[in-house]
Amino acid sequence: AHAAAVVINTWPFANATRVAFAALTASSPQQHLDAITVGCNRCEVEQCDFTVGYGGSPDTNGETTLDAMILDGTTMDMGAVAQLRRIKAAIHVARAVLHHTSHSILAGDGALEFAKMMGFQEESLVTPYSRALHAEWKQQHCQPNYFRNVVPAQNSSCPPFKPAGWGNDSAMYASSPDEEQQRVQALVTQQNHD
Amino acid sequence: TIGMVVLDTKGDMAAGTSSNGANHKVAGRVGDAAVPGAGAYVDSAIGGAAATGDGDVMMRFLPSFHAVQEMAKGVHPRVACERALVRIASKYPHFKGGMVCLNRMGEFGGAGHGWNFSFTVQATGMSEPTVVHVDSI
């Protein structure tokens, strides 16, 4: 038997760590997968920093969508969901992808249909908090956003946009690539990250 | 995002992520959390890693896969995390990201670039999870 059990995760999400570690001490043939599932799910339920789970990080349409993945380091089996809509327990759906398909990643509406087939409940991921975030963003003329090389100018307008021509570099970038990189990185914070 | 790596008492390892992505992302956008090697990666024969930060940048470099390959060379997990982030920073110097790394022996570490990063760990012998703060490299 291996001597040590360890759980490590990004950010100070101690409750997620605690429940994951508890799962490692349970008598299950899949302790390691159970630990990942309950640990990540705890953050989905607690909406850790509003960066995990429902009700956070609304997209340009005001919708919250979820990405999740689970990877077994012994068998290299994996399951993931990308841009999962209207299902709260994204990590559980990812684990269902691992167990019940031979695929690796399901995305978008297909992932939603799979989740419903597996018995997950479809429900809105929008909350008053995420609705307020989106409304505030629209009031600020949809600033900041992640568009570039579009018309009208993305730094003062809301989508929808049309593509700017590709032949004229000065039309493509309102700022230098370095300035553009700094602008985007400034958006990344403890409350806004992947 | 939460990114997590675990090692159980049988030596089996797993990694996982869950995220709602970036605020005001373009509808349809997928982050690195769903991408193996980017948001997380693990091989029970070596170790595992998980990353957080700017997923649009990180998914271009597969930092978690990179860190696991570093650990395969015998590099300490903390250094493996640092090397994966430095590789990204060589192309994107303003990049913000953080990583956790755990090897199959139970050794662990973390690193951050562009911000002071915190991670949480609980291992055999610890009664409670411990939050570890690391300065930006």
Side-chain angles (χ1 to χ4, degrees):
Chain A
H2 199 271
V6 185
V7 173
I8 189 168
N9 60 265
T10 55
W11 303 109
F13 300 147
N15 289 342
T17 314
R18 187 178 293 110
V19 297
F21 191 79
L24 288 181
T25 62
S27 58
S28 162
Q30 296 189 314
Q31 286 174 333
H32 56 315
L33 297 179
D34 295 342
I36 292 291
T37 307
V38 299
C40 290
N41 183 248
R42 178 54 63 101
C43 261
E44 291 169 348
V45 171
E46 294 185 354
Q47 302 172 286
C48 290
D49 284 350
F50 292 106
T51 67
V52 185
Y54 69 100
S57 305
D59 66 17
T60 49
N61 293 333
E63 183 175 7
T64 295
T65 61
L66 305 178
D67 301 331
M69 174 183 66
I70 184 166
L71 177 60
D72 185 332
T74 300
T75 64
M76 299 311 285
D77 276 345
M78 73 160 282
V81 287
Q83 208 227 343
L84 177 67
R85 308 176 68 195
R86 301 181 60 79
I87 302 285
K88 286 185 175 177
I91 191 68
H92 280 286
V93 183
R95 188 162 179 185
V97 173
L98 183 156
H99 282 302
H100 302 299
T101 82
S102 54
H103 295 313
S104 296
I105 306 176
L106 298 181
D109 287 341
L112 168 61
E113 289 307 309
F114 170 81
K116 288 162 64 178
M117 190 192 307
M118 293 295 111
F120 290 90
Q121 180 187 351
E122 180 179 7
E123 56 191 319
S124 173
L125 304 187
V126 174
T127 64
Y129 173 78
S130 66
R131 193 175 289 116
L133 268 184
H134 184 63
E136 182 183 355
W137 177 73
K138 291 198 78 167
Q139 274 188 338
Q140 295 168 346
H141 306 287
C142 305
Q143 304 303 311
N145 63 61
Y146 292 89
F147 287 90
R148 63 182 183 181
N149 313 328
V150 293
V151 289
Q154 75 279 357
N155 57 7
S156 58
S157 303
C158 284
F161 298 110
K162 291 184 176 179
W166 290 0
N168 180 351
D169 280 352
S170 63
M172 287 176 63
Y173 296 101
S175 53
S176 71
D178 188 61
E179 288 171 334
E180 170 67 8
Q181 192 191 124
Q182 288 189 56
R183 183 188 74 82
V184 172
Q185 292 307 313
L187 304 180
V188 182
T189 66
Q190 186 165 343
Q191 285 74 40
N192 181 32
H193 61 76
D194 291 291
Chain B
T1 297
I2 181 171
M4 177 177 283
V5 184
V6 305
L7 166 68
D8 72 17
T9 53
K10 301 188 298 293
D12 290 322
M13 299 188 73
T17 59
S18 185
S19 178
N20 56 27
N23 273 330
H24 320 307
K25 57 188 170 287
V26 178
R29 183 260 195 184
V30 171
D32 66 318
V35 180
Y41 193 73
V42 65
D43 181 336
S44 296
I46 304 167
T52 183
D54 182 345
D56 289 308
V57 167
M58 287 190 292
M59 69 169 72
R60 303 170 195 181
F61 294 86
L62 303 180
S64 296
F65 180 79
H66 181 123
V68 171
Q69 301 316 303
E70 290 292 328
M71 287 189 280
K73 299 178 198 168
V75 170
H76 187 275
R78 178 180 54 80
V79 179
C81 279
E82 290 174 354
R83 288 185 181 178
L85 292 175
V86 165
R87 177 168 165 262
I88 299 174
S90 70
K91 297 286 187 184
Y92 289 88
H94 308 293
F95 155 77
K96 286 181 190 165
M99 290 191 72
V100 293
C101 294
L102 168 67
N103 69 19
R104 67 184 180 87
M105 306 304 292
E107 298 172 311
F108 60 85
H113 185 275
W115 56 11
N116 296 326
F117 173 63
S118 299
F119 65 88
T120 313
V121 64
Q122 186 168 4
T124 300
M126 295 180 181
S127 59
E128 277 292 303
T130 299
V131 176
V132 180
H133 303 277
V134 292
D135 292 333
S136 175
I137 51 177

